[in-house]
């Protein structure tokens, strides 16, 4: 009640002169995991049915195929070795283990035939090749804490993975639906895809715990495959007789908020570590302002005044970080760099650039830049000029606080009609408000 190796002369001499039926695997593509055997030649036994393997039939088994002789859903014999095999119902199961050694015997003992004489036998084949190109994609973003960014980020991953059947008898018993003559990987993949994606999330989280930067995930397919194997292989091997062979990540993308955070962090790091980048971005922004000056609704002259005042502020801000101007810094704006040990032409000792167009200019509350006594946009009068004051440290200032030591400006004194000298809003003697 099993199979035996066919004699050499039987396999070499052709089967035309014999009544034996000859079977081999039905079309087995790269996505096929299970298929039935089909009759490819019939001898004198013309009364046999197409799906029943008669006693004495020959079965062809090719490389990377696992053949099972099945009766009533129970496996009566099998082989994992390529060759030609003869069905012999009078013999005991031969159990040609092939590449699997003795590991198949335990599985066979669980699902073998009960011992009765078989009446209807079928032959089935399982694909032992690596089943490649199984597509996956995360339905929801996977959280990933990145210690480099010190933030909880979220990513999506798309790609393919492959599986390999490592225990074909276990695979047949637990995975293949009953009464099916052919099974492709897509027809049984829904459950395994859910388990795969769950394991993928766990594996990616493990990479996060191991300190892998999120931007390196796409290039860590091998490591990810190892993580997947650690999570799934033991369970899938024991329960289903298959394992993850490889994982290929085609793309990794971030959700919108994570992308914004990454961009902001990278830009901040770039500006904080490279002063040349900061200076280059400042020059770019000023150049863009000059380019857009002609479209200013307040007039090109006012726009250029605003650019000049912006440069004054910019230069004053950057002057404390180091020498902003180096030869060629302002080449894009048509201005030469400074001579050695000196300053740019047109620059004062305080680092501000003087020009006829910005002399006496002031900015109204509405945003318009003016040179007259009233705003050209809303008509508000120009603010009264601030009177300079000297701080205790000796610095001369015009603002409310000292630019050197930060002390506040002293309150201005005023004389009431009653003759009292005050600094507050009301007279300390008669109570009259300040005029």
């Amino acid at each position: 009640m099993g199979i035996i190796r066919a004699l050499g002369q039987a396999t070499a001499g052709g089967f035309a002169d014999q009544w034996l039926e000859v079977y081999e695997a039905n079309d087995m593509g790269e996505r096929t995991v299970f298929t039935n055997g089909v009759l490819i030649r019939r001898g004198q036994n013309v009364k046999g049915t197409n799906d029943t393997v008669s006693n004495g039939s020959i079965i062809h088994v090719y490389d990377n195929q696992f053949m099972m002789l099945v009766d009533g859903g129970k496996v009566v014999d099998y082989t994992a070795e390529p060759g030609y095999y003869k069905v012999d119902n009078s013999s005991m199961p031969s159990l040609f283990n092939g590449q699997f050694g003795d590991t198949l015997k335990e599985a066979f003992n669980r699902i073998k035939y009960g011992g009765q004489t078989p009446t209807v036998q079928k032959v089935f084949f399982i694909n032992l090749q690596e089943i490649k190109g199984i597509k996956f994609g995360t339905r929801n973003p996977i959280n990933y804490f990145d210690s480099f960014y010190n933030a909880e980020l979220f990513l999506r991953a798309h790609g393919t993975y492959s599986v390999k059947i490592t225990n074909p008898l276990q695979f047949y018993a637990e995975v293949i639906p009953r009464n099916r003559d052919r099974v492709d990987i897509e027809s049984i993949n829904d459950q395994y895809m859910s388990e795969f994606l769950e394991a993928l999330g766990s594996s990616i989280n493990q990479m996060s715990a191991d300190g892998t930067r999120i931007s390196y995930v796409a290039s860590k397919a091998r490591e990810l495959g190892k993580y997947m194997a650690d999570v799934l292989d033991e369970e899938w091997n024991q329960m289903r007789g298959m394992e993850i062979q490889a994982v290929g990540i085609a793309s990794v993308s971030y959700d919108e908020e994570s992308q914004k955070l990454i961009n902001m962090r990278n830009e901040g790091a770039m500006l904080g570590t490279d002063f040349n980048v900061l200076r280059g971005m400042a020059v770019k922004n000023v150049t863009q302002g000059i380019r857009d000056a002609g479209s200013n609704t307040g007039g090109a002259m006012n726009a250029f005044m605003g650019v000049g005042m912006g440069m004054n502020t910019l230069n004053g801000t950057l002057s404390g970080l180091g020498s902003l101007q180096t030869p060629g810094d302002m080449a894009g704006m048509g201005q030469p760099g400074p001579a050695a040990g000196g300053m740019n032409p047109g620059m004062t000792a305080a680092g501000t650039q003087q020009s006829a167009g910005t002399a006496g200019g002031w900015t109204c509350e509405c945003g318009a830049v003016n040179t007259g006594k009233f705003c050209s946009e809303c008509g508000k009068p120009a603010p009264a000029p601030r009177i300079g004051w000297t701080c205790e440290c000796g610095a001369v200032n015009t603002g409310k606080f000292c630019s050197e030591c930060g002390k506040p400006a002293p309150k201005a004194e005023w004389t009431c009609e009653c003759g009292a000298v005050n600094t507050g809003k009301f007279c300390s003697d008669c109570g009259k408000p300040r005029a």
Side-chain angles (χ1 to χ4, degrees):
M1 194 165 53
I3 57 174
I4 59 175
R5 287 189 183 275
L7 298 177
Q9 59 268 27
T11 61
F15 299 98
D17 298 334
Q18 303 181 44
W19 66 272
L20 299 175
E21 298 170 344
V22 181
Y23 287 85
E24 65 179 31
N26 203 345
D27 180 34
M28 183 177 285
E30 60 181 10
R31 317 291 294 171
T32 305
V33 295
F34 175 83
T35 188
N36 63 323
V38 293
L39 183 66
I40 63 171
R41 190 175 191 88
R42 176 174 298 217
Q44 298 176 5
N45 184 19
V46 294
K47 295 182 180 181
T49 58
N50 290 332
D51 59 353
T52 300
V53 181
S54 303
N55 187 34
S57 297
I58 294 294
I59 302 173
H60 292 179
V61 181
Y62 296 103
D63 289 334
N64 290 315
Q65 290 180 347
F66 179 85
M67 186 275 290
M68 299 178 298
L69 190 62
V70 178
D71 188 277
K74 298 293 184 178
V75 179
V76 296
D77 207 347
Y78 64 81
T79 179
E81 300 177 9
Y84 296 88
Y85 295 87
K86 180 181 178 180
V87 178
D88 187 350
N89 290 335
S90 64
S91 68
M92 295 296 291
S94 301
L95 305 181
F96 296 100
N97 295 311
Q99 59 180 293
F100 299 100
D102 294 333
T103 58
L104 287 179
K105 290 184 178 180
E106 180 182 352
F108 176 76
N109 290 331
R110 293 197 303 268
I111 63 175
K112 66 183 180 180
Y113 189 71
Q116 299 179 1
T117 303
T119 56
V120 178
Q121 294 181 124
K122 294 184 179 182
V123 60
F124 293 105
F125 294 83
I126 291 178
N127 190 355
L128 299 182
Q129 284 186 317
E130 180 183 3
I131 309 300
K132 304 176 182 178
I134 307 172
K135 296 182 179 180
F136 71 87
T138 53
R139 298 182 180 92
N140 300 306
I142 301 174
N143 64 304
Y144 193 101
F145 180 81
D146 193 308
S147 57
F148 177 80
Y149 294 107
N150 195 29
E152 192 79 32
L153 305 174
F154 295 86
L155 59 80
R156 294 182 175 89
H158 298 81
T160 59
Y161 72 98
S162 64
V163 298
K164 189 175 179 65
I165 297 169
T166 55
N167 188 330
L169 289 177
Q170 185 78 10
F171 184 79
Y172 170 72
E174 300 296 337
V175 177
I176 300 301
R178 298 285 79 90
N179 301 320
R180 294 281 292 275
D181 289 336
R182 181 184 180 87
V183 176
D184 290 336
I185 189 64
E186 286 80 10
S187 62
I188 58 173
N189 196 41
D190 287 346
Q191 172 66 29
Y192 310 128
M193 178 61 72
S194 298
E195 296 179 15
F196 174 86
L197 292 176
E198 181 180 353
L200 177 66
S202 299
S203 301
I204 288 180
N205 287 335
Q206 184 60 49
M207 294 181 72
S208 168
D210 291 345
T212 302
R213 281 184 59 178
I214 193 171
S215 56
Y216 296 160
V217 173
S219 63
K220 298 288 184 179
R222 286 184 179 275
E223 288 85 345
L224 188 58
K226 181 179 181 300
Y227 284 117
M228 295 291 290
D230 293 340
V231 174
L232 278 183
D233 278 358
E234 183 176 358
E235 178 182 349
W236 279 17
N237 259 322
Q238 292 180 357
M239 295 180 58
R240 302 185 178 105
M242 63 180 182
E243 65 181 23
I244 299 292
Q245 195 72 9
V247 178
I249 300 179
S251 65
V252 172
S253 59
Y254 313 114
D255 72 339
E256 185 176 354
E257 293 302 318
S258 296
Q259 188 64 63
K260 288 181 180 178
L261 190 148
I262 291 173
N263 292 342
M264 180 179 66
R265 172 66 173 80
N266 290 342
E267 182 177 346
M270 182 173 59
L271 295 178
T273 57
D274 194 335
F275 185 75
N276 290 328
V277 174
L278 177 61
R279 183 170 51 195
M281 291 186 66
V283 172
K284 173 185 175 183
N285 292 336
V286 172
T287 304
Q288 183 66 40
I290 294 175
R291 184 181 297 115
D292 296 339
S295 61
N296 188 282
T297 56
M301 179 58 71
N302 288 338
F304 279 111
M305 290 179 184
V307 171
M309 295 179 68
M311 288 188 64
N312 289 343
T313 304
L314 175 66
N315 287 337
T317 301
L318 297 180
S319 61
L321 299 178
S323 178
L324 173 65
Q325 309 299 336
T326 59
D329 280 345
M330 302 297 289
M333 300 179 62
Q335 297 188 19
M343 298 179 294
N344 275 349
M347 300 294 290
T348 67
T352 58
Q353 185 175 3
Q354 303 296 326
S355 69
T358 61
W362 57 279
T363 303
C364 181
E365 296 176 359
C366 69
V369 180
N370 306 277
T371 56
K373 295 182 179 181
F374 296 91
C375 177
S376 60
E377 292 292 333
C378 64
K380 288 185 178 180
R386 292 187 176 184
I387 301 175
W389 56 277
T390 302
C391 180
E392 296 176 0
C393 67
V396 178
N397 307 278
T398 56
K400 295 181 179 181
F401 296 90
C402 177
S403 59
E404 292 293 332
C405 64
K407 290 184 177 180
K411 295 183 178 179
E413 295 181 348
W414 58 280
T415 303
C416 181
E417 295 177 357
C418 67
V421 178
N422 305 277
T423 57
K425 294 182 179 180
F426 296 90
C427 178
S428 59
D429 282 344
C430 65
K432 288 184 178 180
R434 181 175 181 176

